[in-house]
Amino acid sequence: MNLSAYFDRIGYDGPVRPDASVLKAVHRAHVEAIPYENLDVQFGAPVTRAPAAAFDKIVTRRRGGWCYEMNGLLGWALEEIGFKVERLAGAVARNERGDGSIGNHLVLIVDLDEPWLADAGFGDGLIEAIPLRMGAFQNGPFHCRLEDIGGGWVRYHNDPRGGGPAFDFNRSVTDENLLEKLCGFLQTSEDSPFVQNAVTQRWLPDRHICLRGRVFTALSNDNKIVDVLTDAEHYLSALRERFGLDLPPAAGLWPKICARHEEVFAAKAVS
């Protein structure tokens, strides 16, 4: 694990010191260079929370990753720079699923003159790290909000146009066992959305792009583009040209992707 190789991967050539400007710049470079993706889950390949494994996959093999990998790698890099990093057992959709969701998301807090929220693993989440202050904030083209919901819990509200609507975190909830348990569940259970859906996402300087199954979406300040992919070659081309993923084995996922597409849109038609 080499910090210079990580910087090469994300295209960062700025100063290396533990301050707010570097934190924001490294965070932005990470999410714009590295796609969020769950394709190993689709392949049935085991995914660990080990930062060394994330480094090999994301830096050496130039893949992307999901929250445990993206924030695992980012947290390691920030500590190498000299930041103090806290790792929290976050909870996506806790408002709907209850406390059983705690650990389904890894969240980072960086301690500077005040705590900062860093999260490269929510897909369409933060572009840059932000001070941990309650209230609305602009996140690229997205309008987001942090809310104190009591008991030490903070809720991140995503833009209504985004993917996951919200996640909760609490600086006192850092249980590694919860993170490990949910990491295993989310990559093996048939009830897991990560097992059900192939998802790849990425921030670009002026927009967010997402490939969820067959559906490609690009969101900017005043525009939304939607394209439905037609075949496996189209899928491979989108991964390669839009997300920087040269992954020929992903063609084998196409039948499952098409079946899931029909299932989802048939259900929407019925409802």
Side-chain angles (χ1 to χ4, degrees), residues 157-171:
H157 293 273
N158 200 9
D159 188 285
R161 299 178 299 163
F167 66 85
D168 298 354
F169 58 94
N170 187 322
R171 293 185 71 184

Side-chain angles (χ1 to χ4, degrees), residues 55-137:
F55 184 95
D56 175 66
K57 177 180 175 180
I58 294 173
V59 176
T60 305
R61 294 188 281 128
R62 305 189 69 81
R63 287 280 304 279
W66 64 350
C67 76
Y68 302 106
E69 299 168 302
M70 292 284 272
N71 282 338
L73 179 63
L74 178 61
W76 164 83
L78 294 177
E79 287 182 329
E80 289 292 300
I81 292 169
F83 292 98
K84 181 181 178 183
V85 179
E86 303 172 21
R87 294 165 176 81
L88 311 183
V92 176
R94 176 171 168 264
N95 54 321
E96 300 173 358
R97 302 170 187 165
D99 286 350
S101 62
I102 298 174
N104 69 8
H105 186 53
L106 173 61
V107 179
L108 304 178
I109 297 293
V110 180
D111 291 318
L112 290 170
D113 54 332
E114 61 180 319
W116 286 62
L117 175 64
D119 191 343
F122 195 55
D124 58 2
L126 291 177
I127 300 172
E128 294 182 349
I130 60 170
L132 188 56
R133 302 172 189 165
M134 302 305 106
F137 64 94

Side-chain angles (χ1 to χ4, degrees), residues 193 196-199 212-215 256-271:
Q196 296 169 352
N197 304 289
V199 180
R212 189 178 302 274
R214 293 180 59 189
V215 181
K256 178 182 176 182
I257 288 171
C258 289
R260 178 61 175 166
H261 183 88
E262 295 304 316
E263 177 185 353
V264 169
F265 282 90
K268 287 183 178 180
V270 170
S271 62

Side-chain angles (χ1 to χ4, degrees), residues 38 42 97 186 189-199:
N38 71 336
Q42 296 295 302
R97 302 170 187 165
L186 290 172
S189 172
E190 292 300 321
D191 294 328
S192 165
F194 299 96
V195 172
Q196 296 169 352
N197 304 289
V199 180

